[in-house]
Amino acid sequence: MLLAGNSHAALIGHPQIAGRPPSINIAAGGLTARGCAKRMARLDTPARADAAVLIIGTNDIARRHRPERPATGRRFEADVRRILAILSRWSEHIFVAAVPPLGPEAADHDADAVATFSDRLEQLCAEGQHVFFDPFAAIRASDGGHVRAGLLSDDIHLDDYAALAAEIDRVVGSVLDATL
């Protein structure tokens, strides 16, 4: 199992997912899709993983990156394609999470872009026959871009990454069990 992406993936740690040995986690806080692609291009993997999980997008929807601009969306898609190409060499199955919801005080991020960037991820998964899933569905507010009250530590990061790991385990496990 391989975990990649931004701080949401990094904060999961090294859980055992789908009954596999503890995960290899190459995620790092603060990464945009471009930063993740550049970082991954410099890495080698010692063996092919059964599955890889990518959590990306939160830093791409920071207002300073102008997520509402079409050029930003195109750049995000190109960078995610690069990540998916790398993960395809490293892993049998690729799972891509929806962009996590934000807290109400995350003014430096565009909550409206959560759905737009998640839609982009879903489309890229459909093109590459990867699994798109939303491990954050149970904590989303009705608008989708925000989290229900009291679930984040700082308007960006979850209070409970063990619950996120459990949801990833559920989804990845069900897919991998079905392919055996």
Side-chain angles (χ1 to χ4, degrees):
M1 226 10 246
L2 178 69
L3 296 169
N6 59 29
S7 59
H8 291 288
L11 290 168
I12 292 172
H14 302 276
Q16 187 173 2
I17 295 177
R20 290 358 189 228
S23 301
I24 297 169
N25 194 327
I26 61 169
L31 290 179
T32 61
R34 173 147 300 165
C36 184
K38 287 180 180 178
R39 185 171 194 270
M40 289 174 62
R42 295 188 304 262
L43 300 174
D44 289 321
T45 59
R48 191 163 166 84
D50 288 337
V53 174
L54 174 66
I55 303 175
I56 201 74
T58 298
N59 298 309
D60 296 278
I61 62 170
R63 292 192 189 282
R64 71 180 180 277
H65 295 299
R66 308 285 308 265
E68 74 283 357
R69 297 176 108 179
T72 303
R74 287 190 301 271
R75 183 178 61 240
F76 177 74
E77 290 173 13
D79 294 333
V80 171
R81 278 190 177 91
R82 287 177 46 211
I83 294 167
L84 294 173
I86 293 167
L87 289 176
S88 292
R89 293 191 307 268
W90 293 355
S91 171
E92 184 68 27
H93 301 278
I94 300 170
F95 297 81
V96 179
V99 177
L102 302 166
E105 302 300 317
D108 58 340
H109 286 70
D110 185 350
D112 293 335
V114 169
T116 303
F117 277 60
S118 291
D119 289 346
R120 286 185 170 106
L121 291 170
E122 186 172 17
Q123 290 169 357
L124 292 169
C125 285
E127 290 172 14
Q129 298 181 349
H130 308 303
V131 178
F132 176 81
F133 71 115
D134 188 357
F136 308 100
I139 66 168
R140 286 187 193 280
S142 59
D143 71 359
H146 288 101
V147 71
R148 290 186 294 114
L151 299 172
L152 299 180
S153 62
D154 64 0
D155 284 307
I156 300 290
H157 299 99
L158 304 174
D159 279 336
D160 186 1
Y161 279 94
L164 177 59
E167 180 60 13
I168 291 170
D169 178 50
R170 186 189 68 75
V171 171
V172 173
S174 68
V175 171
L176 294 183
D177 289 347
T179 62
L180 295 178

